[in-house]
Amino acid sequence: MAHTESSENKMATLTIDGKQVTVPAGTTILDAAAQLGVKIPTLCWLKKVSTTGACRICVVDVDGVDRPMTACNTPVKDGINVTTSSPKLEQIRKKTLELLLVNHPLDCPVCDAAGECDLQDSCYGLHVDKNEYGADLERLPIRYDWNLLESDPNRCILCEKCVKVCREIVGREAIEIVNRGDRTIIDTVSGEPLNCDFCGNCINACPTGTLISKPFKFRGRPWTFTVTPSICGFCSTGCQIEYHSRGGRVERVTSSDDTFNRGNLCTNGRFGYAAFNSPGRLTTPLIKDASGNQQTATWDQALGAAATKLKDIIAANGAKAVAGIGSPRATNEESYLFQKFLRGAVGTNNIDSEARLGYFPSQLIQWEMLGYSGSTYAMDVIEQADSILVVGADLKGESVGYAYRVIQAANKNNAKLVLANVRATSMNKFANKFLQYRPGSEAWFVAGLNKAILADGLENKEFISKNTKGADELKASLDALTFAQITQATGISESDFRQAAGLICNGRTAVIYGADIMRTADKANAVTGVVDLALLTGAAGVSGAGIYPLDEKNNTQGMLDMGVCPEYLPGYHTYAHKAATFSEAWKNTVPASPGKNLFQIIDAIEAGEIKALYVMGSDLLHILPDRARVMKALQKLDLLLVQDLFLNETARLATILLPAASAAEKAGTFTTVDNRVQCFPRAIAPLGEARTDSDTLIKLYNLVAPVAKILTVTPEELHQEITELSGLYSDVCDHAGCRMGRIKNQISSADHKASILPFKPVSPAPADSARPYALYIGSVLQHNGTMTTWSENNMAVAAEGYVEIYAADAAKAGISGGDNVKVSSVAGSVTLKAKLTDALQAGVLFVPSHFHEVQANLLAKDVSGAVAVKLEKG
């Protein structure tokens, strides 16, 4: 619920154990006591969800009340006197625990929760060492059939934490209370985990061993593992986690409720660690022999061969014959060293990454309009929004933490939520308005919203007048269009646009946009329109709740900040402005003009202009469109140097293959898409002979650089170099350890006016009668990139690719769920299993992007959003 004036201003003064405290009206006794440092024991209470008052361990005495009150859900009143500890209260708590233990098996020696069990701790703290009560117990069946989780109802104390976390945090209803009386248990809905995200947040909330991690079962007692605080290396949310390791392996990942993400993780964050232990990991360098077979080599042999080959190619063709592809998985430090190696040691600006496929072009537009890339604020500000627009994004598929923040805003702040997408998602249940626009009409859809805002006079006039320029040009461009034209393009009616505009322009607004906006055919207009909307509503201003671009990978923003792109040096400095400065600092000559981007690199390989390609942590054969063309280009290279964790499809083509370290096996920093810089230490040593990318890059630099060498470099020296040269990072940070933070965005103001740009209509592509379906390729919740396909845990819940088909379309085609179907485009065809759904609209298909075997990029010729395909029963 939104805060009211009375709840904000009214205060209550009370006495707790003889100490006075003044708190806002509505505060619970438990929270008031915490402000005084008074700890009241709890068992069912969890700060991040609504209170239950089920366990009654937190009872306190209130003067004038004839019975003890539960502190967790009793609001304070002005003038009350509370006693939190007395012999009587201790006895009540002790007897309550004894009654709980009547139905609880004393199987601590075989329970995975032993040693970190809240029930154990409560018994110890209240000196419950025997039980006067007893009962004839009937053992209930244990649920072994649930992927990744195991549920033993015999251990359950019915605290309901798991149910509330599932509903209030995750936004699902996978588990519920079933039966009544002494038969009451927590179980999956209808006996099947149909709505489960497999995030494991219920495990984290469980105070006993009722819900446990199946992959961690019997791995060992919690105190036998080394626990290392870290940052998740999967999606762009940047969750703070803990690696539990032993014997060189990560055996579990947890997160504390005291972290920025409040202990909430997703499938990838909690279970994706299994990829680090995969038998598919590369553990030794490989060099291709004369027969084309990759053979085991030493590091000296591999690095020596790579350096010699690079120098030979440079000598014969010039540095322009070399290019590099970086990785959003790499740390900031590794990305900085990667571009420094290519620019400083090799002498080429031919450097890019998969961010070229959507995120980076969108941020170039955003930088031009707002003066910064990434989010306006840290993502927790979303929870304070009064209205939220999510457009062209599957929040849980792209960056789960943003979904959790939106759910909190909807549940706790009564924020109005407008979702706009080609596909319905699990977030639809929270939406006040869902607009399902036609495929490929993203730019027209955003133009329709902006037109409705202006037509109804809902724009933030004061903010626009003081802090922006170009609003009149936008209005003129939209006035030239009719709602009838926009409806024809999008399928959304004028009244729906106006209703959505009314919801969006409601107090403090947040705007979130994702891959479908960044990768649509008319991406320039789509992204420009979204930023225009953020300015029209004031979302991108000081009084707004921010604009938030999304990306799937963990360090895309940091990688770009570090200069892994051909257009800019680190910190987005132009070559004309800073090439000489970087050359002087590195004691090597940095080329003074931009290099080739990702697509131009492929063109240049085909033309014979680029002879050597250094690929660090990127599977080009999987991520790039027109797979067959990319395969031929890579096979044409004189040197394909690949640095990766796995023997993926690109790695199999490598002339020289160098094994890399996982996120758990190195130290460094990641920068999230909301511009939070977070540092982390190494948790375990690299597997086998694998090395960190930093170690490899420094050695290669020393072998290849024509003048200066990096003999050694400490993290502190590297951070100082980054902060001094980039100008985007500073030695002031909001965390302990690395002394490197990102300079805060300069929000639009009278002194720094943002640019509102006009809509330049591009007619939607004509329908292809031979290929009547629009195929979207994108990410899903249970995986992140391709890395989690190497995790046996993730594969247990999402084991293979498929094509989602609108149920009515499938019925017309005579296709049933599980049938093999052939999907064909002008570029190629693939055969997949059919999965029927009502979340799509007629004529739309969806294929997850993660699975190697699917080879979905065979179908796409370029990055233009929906692909025109035909569908045939296999």
Side-chain angles (χ1 to χ4, degrees):
M1 295 292 291
H3 293 299
T4 64
E5 185 177 350
S6 60
S7 65
E8 287 178 350
N9 297 331
K10 192 172 181 181
M11 306 295 286
T13 299
L14 65 154
T15 303
I16 301 177
D17 293 345
K19 300 177 183 177
Q20 273 200 349
V21 63
T22 300
V23 295
T27 303
T28 65
I29 292 175
L30 184 69
D31 289 334
Q35 290 193 29
L36 288 171
V38 176
K39 182 173 176 58
I40 301 172
T42 62
L43 196 52
C44 73
W45 177 80
L46 191 62
K47 183 177 181 179
K48 60 188 178 184
V49 296
S50 59
T51 56
T52 304
C55 73
R56 312 200 71 77
I57 299 298
C58 67
V59 290
V60 296
D61 278 330
V62 179
D63 286 1
V65 179
D66 59 2
R67 60 184 177 84
M69 305 295 292
T70 47
C72 68
N73 60 0
T74 301
V76 300
K77 286 187 178 180
D78 193 57
I80 64 173
N81 184 38
V82 179
T83 300
T84 69
S85 181
S86 68
K88 183 187 79 170
L89 290 172
E90 298 303 312
Q91 186 68 5
I92 290 172
R93 292 167 181 160
K94 187 171 183 178
K95 291 302 178 184
T96 300
L97 268 181
E98 289 177 0
L99 288 169
L100 280 176
L101 292 173
V102 167
N103 295 312
H104 192 87
L106 299 180
D107 60 352
C108 300
V110 295
C111 178
D112 257 35
E116 55 184 12
C117 172
D118 291 347
L119 183 60
Q120 261 187 352
D121 293 343
S122 295
C123 288
Y124 183 81
L126 293 170
H127 309 291
V128 178
D129 52 10
K130 59 184 177 180
N131 200 344
E132 298 178 1
Y133 308 106
D136 293 328
L137 298 181
E138 178 185 350
R139 292 286 295 180
L140 299 171
I142 299 173
R143 288 289 303 274
Y144 295 111
D145 61 327
W146 201 351
N147 288 328
L148 302 183
L149 288 81
E150 187 175 299
S151 175
D152 184 349
N154 302 285
R155 297 171 179 165
C156 183
I157 61 171
L158 298 176
C159 68
E160 300 183 42
K161 286 183 185 178
C162 58
V163 175
K164 294 199 171 190
V165 164
C166 188
R167 281 163 169 71
E168 298 176 18
I169 302 294
V170 183
R172 303 295 280 182
E173 296 176 355
I175 48 180
E176 64 182 359
I177 299 171
V178 300
N179 303 328
R180 293 293 182 268
D182 63 357
R183 308 300 297 175
T184 304
I185 61 170
I186 305 292
D187 203 358
T188 53
V189 176
S190 303
E192 296 288 338
L194 300 177
N195 299 314
C196 186
D197 281 358
F198 298 101
C199 61
N201 288 320
C202 55
I203 297 172
N204 204 46
C206 183
T208 67
T210 304
L211 292 169
I212 64 170
S213 165
K214 189 179 287 186
F216 184 64
K217 184 179 180 181
F218 298 152
R219 290 289 186 181
R221 290 304 189 195
W223 60 83
T224 65
F225 295 92
T226 299
V227 181
T228 308
S230 193
I231 305 299
C232 182
F234 290 106
C235 88
S236 60
T237 296
C239 289
Q240 296 167 352
I241 61 172
E242 296 167 331
Y243 288 120
H244 298 243
S245 61
R246 188 175 64 185
R249 288 170 55 95
V250 174
E251 297 289 6
R252 179 171 65 156
V253 169
T254 60
S255 182
S256 167
D257 283 6
D258 296 327
T259 59
F260 181 78
N261 45 290
R262 303 190 187 110
N264 304 318
L265 300 177
C266 68
T267 312
N268 305 303
R270 195 174 302 279
F271 296 110
Y273 67 85
F276 306 157
N277 304 327
S278 169
R281 283 284 303 274
L282 289 167
T283 58
T284 185
L286 301 174
I287 299 178
K288 188 175 286 186
D289 62 19
S291 302
N293 299 314
Q294 291 174 333
Q295 303 292 343
T296 300
T298 66
W299 271 99
D300 286 344
Q301 290 172 331
L303 293 174
T308 299
K309 191 68 176 175
L310 278 171
K311 288 190 284 188
D312 288 347
I313 290 171
I314 294 168
N317 305 278
K320 65 182 184 298
V322 181
I325 307 298
S327 173
R329 299 292 192 199
T331 65
N332 288 327
E333 296 76 11
E334 290 167 338
S335 287
Y336 179 83
L337 288 171
F338 183 67
Q339 62 82 35
K340 182 175 181 176
F341 169 74
L342 286 162
R343 289 184 169 117
V346 174
T348 180
N349 287 326
N350 297 331
I351 176 172
D352 210 354
S353 73
E354 64 187 74
R356 180 67 54 181
L357 303 178
Y359 187 80
F360 183 52
S362 76
Q363 295 315 286
L364 289 176
I365 294 171
Q366 189 177 303
W367 189 285
E368 176 190 357
M369 297 176 71
L370 298 179
Y372 59 85
S373 61
S375 303
T376 312
Y377 302 113
M379 62 190 295
D380 58 336
V381 174
I382 293 171
E383 295 183 13
Q384 304 167 25
D386 299 305
S387 59
I388 302 171
L389 170 67
V390 180
V391 57
D394 176 359
L395 291 183
K396 286 196 173 181
E398 294 178 45
S399 196
V400 181
Y402 283 86
Y404 293 164
R405 300 292 181 174
V406 170
I407 291 169
Q408 290 299 293
N411 283 344
K412 293 188 175 181
N413 203 41
N414 199 28
K416 306 303 179 186
L417 175 61
V418 174
L419 294 182
N421 207 328
V422 170
R423 301 180 288 134
T425 70
S426 64
M427 294 295 291
N428 276 50
K429 63 188 288 187
F430 300 100
N432 298 86
K433 188 80 175 175
F434 172 55
L435 301 174
Q436 194 167 22
Y437 54 77
R438 288 175 180 155
S441 69
E442 287 83 359
W444 282 83
F445 171 81
V446 181
L449 269 182
N450 287 335
K451 182 176 177 67
I453 290 171
L454 291 169
D456 289 349
L458 299 172
E459 71 274 22
N460 190 327
K461 297 178 180 64
E462 182 180 0
F463 171 79
I464 293 169
S465 173
K466 292 182 178 180
N467 304 294
T468 71
K469 55 187 177 182
D472 291 340
E473 288 82 353
L474 172 64
K475 188 175 188 306
S477 69
L478 295 175
D479 284 345
L481 303 174
T482 65
F483 273 112
Q485 290 175 287
I486 296 172
T487 297
Q488 183 178 8
T490 63
I492 306 299
S493 69
E494 178 180 348
S495 63
D496 281 338
F497 276 121
R498 290 180 184 270
Q499 288 173 27
L503 291 168
I504 293 167
C505 299
N506 172 44
R508 196 175 184 191
T509 304
V511 177
I512 305 171
Y513 66 103
D516 288 354
I517 291 291
M518 299 176 188
R519 298 188 179 191
T520 188
D522 190 11
K523 57 183 71 67
N525 262 322
V527 175
T528 298
V530 170
V531 181
D532 281 342
L533 190 147
L535 291 170
L536 291 179
T537 60
V542 174
S543 61
I547 184 171
Y548 301 86
L550 300 183
D551 191 76
E552 184 187 4
K553 303 289 178 63
N554 57 298
N555 201 37
T556 302
Q557 184 65 50
M559 174 189 69
L560 296 172
D561 290 348
M562 295 300 112
V564 181
C565 62
E567 292 92 340
Y568 298 106
L569 291 161
Y572 306 100
H573 292 295
T574 63
Y575 297 98
H577 182 229
K578 282 287 185 177
T581 302
F582 278 85
S583 296
E584 182 180 356
W586 293 346
K587 301 298 187 291
N588 285 307
T589 302
V590 175
S593 59
K596 290 179 168 57
N597 67 32
L598 183 59
F599 300 113
Q600 292 167 342
I601 288 170
I602 299 299
D603 293 340
I605 294 172
E606 290 177 323
E609 298 169 4
I610 287 180
K611 306 286 186 179
L613 182 64
Y614 185 3
V615 180
M616 184 178 80
S618 187
D619 188 356
L620 298 183
L621 279 177
H622 185 85
I623 63 170
L624 284 178
D626 205 348
R627 174 191 170 88
R629 178 196 172 200
V630 175
M631 171 79 81
K632 290 180 182 178
L634 295 181
Q635 290 172 328
K636 189 175 180 180
L637 287 162
D638 291 345
L639 172 65
L640 176 57
L641 176 61
V642 175
Q643 201 164 304
D644 213 301
L645 275 74
F646 304 103
L647 189 62
N648 56 43
E649 295 162 288
T650 302
R652 291 180 187 279
L653 298 178
T655 315
I656 301 171
L657 183 54
L658 306 175
S662 72
E665 298 163 359
K666 56 189 175 184
T669 60
F670 292 144
T671 303
T672 58
V673 289
D674 60 337
N675 293 323
R676 287 176 292 117
V677 182
Q678 301 182 97
C679 61
F680 55 93
R682 190 180 83 168
I684 55 175
L687 186 66
E689 295 180 31
R691 292 181 180 178
T692 68
D693 294 331
S694 293
D695 288 343
T696 301
L697 287 162
I698 289 171
K699 287 180 171 59
L700 273 175
Y701 194 105
N702 289 337
L703 290 169
V704 175
V707 183
K709 311 294 184 184
I710 308 178
L711 297 178
T712 59
V713 59
T714 66
E716 292 76 17
E717 290 169 338
L718 190 56
H719 290 161
Q720 183 177 0
E721 182 177 329
I722 291 170
T723 57
E724 288 179 354
L725 290 177
S726 75
L728 185 63
Y729 284 62
S730 73
D731 60 2
V732 178
C733 59
D734 55 5
H735 55 278
C738 72
R739 292 188 59 77
M740 188 171 78
R742 198 175 191 270
I743 294 174
K744 302 302 181 185
N745 293 330
Q746 187 175 2
I747 309 302
S748 303
S749 64
D751 297 326
H752 176 71
K753 290 195 172 185
S755 298
I756 295 177
L757 300 179
F759 176 61
K760 302 174 182 178
V762 176
S763 299
D768 184 345
S769 58
R771 300 170 187 84
Y773 289 92
L775 170 68
Y776 279 77
I777 303 170
S779 53
V780 296
L781 168 66
Q782 291 83 11
H783 283 285
N784 184 264
T786 58
M787 183 177 290
T788 53
T789 63
W790 297 91
S791 163
E792 61 182 359
N793 296 341
N794 295 71
M795 295 299 281
V797 294
E800 61 182 353
Y802 53 83
V803 56
E804 279 191 344
I805 308 171
Y806 183 53
D809 286 345
K812 290 178 184 177
I815 295 171
S816 301
D819 287 350
N820 285 327
V821 295
K822 184 179 180 182
V823 182
S824 306
S825 72
V826 294
S829 63
V830 297
T831 299
L832 299 164
K833 285 187 178 180
K835 183 177 180 180
L836 310 190
T837 179
D838 289 322
L840 296 175
Q841 54 183 292
V844 174
L845 307 175
F846 175 77
V847 172
S849 59
H850 313 283
F851 301 96
H852 292 283
E853 296 78 8
V854 171
Q855 298 183 4
N857 57 341
L858 279 170
L859 301 171
K861 293 289 287 184
D862 53 30
V863 182
S864 57
V867 180
V869 298
K870 65 178 179 179
L871 184 68
E872 304 168 272
K873 190 171 181 178

